Amino acid sequence: MADNRKKILEMLEKKKITTDEAYRLLGAVDDEEPGHSNRGHEDTGSRRSADKSGYKYLRVTITPGEEQEQGEHPERVNVRIPMSLLRAGIKLTSLIPPEHLDKANKALNDKGIDFDISKIKPEDLESLIEAIGDTEIDIDGKHGEKVKVFVE
Amino acid sequence: MNWPPMLMHVKIKNPQHQFGFWVPLFLIVLFVFIILLALLPLVLLAILLAWPTGWGRWMVGAFKTGYAMLCSLRGTKVDIQKPKETVFISVV
């Protein structure tokens, strides 16, 4: 990680990137660190306060691998979804008429996903969030990109 | 109590365009609330009429969940960066 920071600062020094881009890249590097403290890049104050499980956001980050970074199409994705939005979304499933839920389940089954949407309950989400709290899903893509899914 | 988000920051950058703007969500939400308030008698009537069929309960649930989802948008951030394109959306 220290190497990444150094590389970013060197790029800034050589004026290959702007201050704004360096700021964002440093933020992304911080975000990648397990148990990162954000180092003042973003809101640090109210984290883990409003949520029952202590986790406020679901984060999905995609960072290009070294091979991709030097290629033509490096792509960075950084998505932060509030847990409360997920909860509200789960509640929304209770408003979907049963016949449409059946259709959705059938479509999932056709794609090989054996999952019953009608059985998702907000309480289940709580236990899922608690379980995922210590888990970090790390996927290395075939082009060297790294996909991370975690809660914070 | 949860409050609806106040602002949305959108930044888009590509070789042709580069712009960023703040959407005053609080004004839009205020506008929608005023319209809903004006339509409240009609909405209540519709709920009462639809209650025996079960759709009334659904309508109440839809309003509650819709409001909850709107309030939950606060803190959402989407940041996609390509070498020549950037899309950044943040709801605060």
Side-chain angles (χ1 to χ4, degrees), chain A residues 48-56 83 87 91 122-123 126 129-130:
Chain A
R48 298 189 178 208
S49 57
D51 214 79
K52 287 176 217 161
S53 56
Y55 298 107
K56 238 182 138 185
M83 287 297 180
R87 279 194 195 89
K91 279 181 193 159
E123 309 87 71
E126 290 305 326
I129 291 165
E130 272 174 41

Side-chain angles (χ1 to χ4, degrees), chain A residues 20-119:
Chain A
D20 192 41
E21 284 167 339
Y23 176 84
R24 277 156 154 244
L25 288 172
L26 285 169
V29 169
D30 280 355
D31 288 346
E32 273 179 43
E33 284 183 8
H36 67 94
S37 60
N38 255 350
R39 288 174 171 74
H41 289 299
E42 285 177 4
D43 49 335
T44 49
S46 60
R47 242 157 236 224
R48 298 189 178 208
S49 57
D51 214 79
K52 287 176 217 161
S53 56
Y55 298 107
K56 238 182 138 185
Y57 300 109
L58 174 75
R59 294 283 308 273
V60 180
T61 60
I62 303 174
T63 45
E66 275 181 33
E67 175 194 322
Q68 234 185 352
E69 190 93 68
Q70 285 151 11
E72 284 181 13
H73 307 289
E75 190 175 321
R76 284 175 195 281
V77 177
N78 188 355
V79 178
R80 187 174 77 178
I81 303 159
M83 287 297 180
S84 48
L85 187 61
L86 291 181
R87 279 194 195 89
I90 297 283
K91 279 181 193 159
L92 199 68
T93 57
S94 63
L95 296 172
I96 302 171
E99 61 268 25
H100 292 292
L101 279 178
D102 290 342
K103 274 186 195 169
N105 284 336
K106 197 176 169 294
L108 283 173
N109 271 325
D110 289 345
K111 294 210 175 227
I113 304 163
D114 185 21
F115 192 72
D116 188 355
I117 298 176
S118 59
K119 284 183 182 160

Side-chain angles (χ1 to χ4, degrees), chain B:
Chain B
M1 188 187 166
N2 273 345
W3 290 93
M6 296 281 118
L7 295 162
M8 183 161 75
H9 189 196
V10 180
K11 269 203 273 187
I12 292 169
K13 196 170 133 184
N14 59 37
Q16 288 86 39
H17 307 98
Q18 182 176 347
F19 59 92
F21 55 89
W22 290 87
V23 182
L25 289 177
F26 65 96
L27 286 180
I28 296 167
V29 169
L30 199 69
F31 181 70
V32 171
F33 277 168
I34 289 168
I35 288 176
L36 273 179
L37 209 64
L39 293 176
L40 195 64
L42 283 176
V43 172
L44 284 175
L45 189 68
I47 289 170
L48 278 174
L49 287 174
W51 198 264
T53 61
W55 282 99
R57 191 185 292 266
W58 183 89
M59 283 159 86
V60 173
F63 275 112
K64 269 173 70 180
T65 312
Y67 182 73
M69 284 196 81
L70 178 73
C71 294
S72 309
L73 279 174
R74 212 184 257 259
T76 305
K77 194 175 95 174
V78 176
D79 186 3
I80 300 166
Q81 293 179 41
K82 286 183 176 182
K84 290 176 185 170
E85 290 168 59
T86 301
V87 176
F88 175 82
I89 299 167
S90 173
V91 183
V92 284

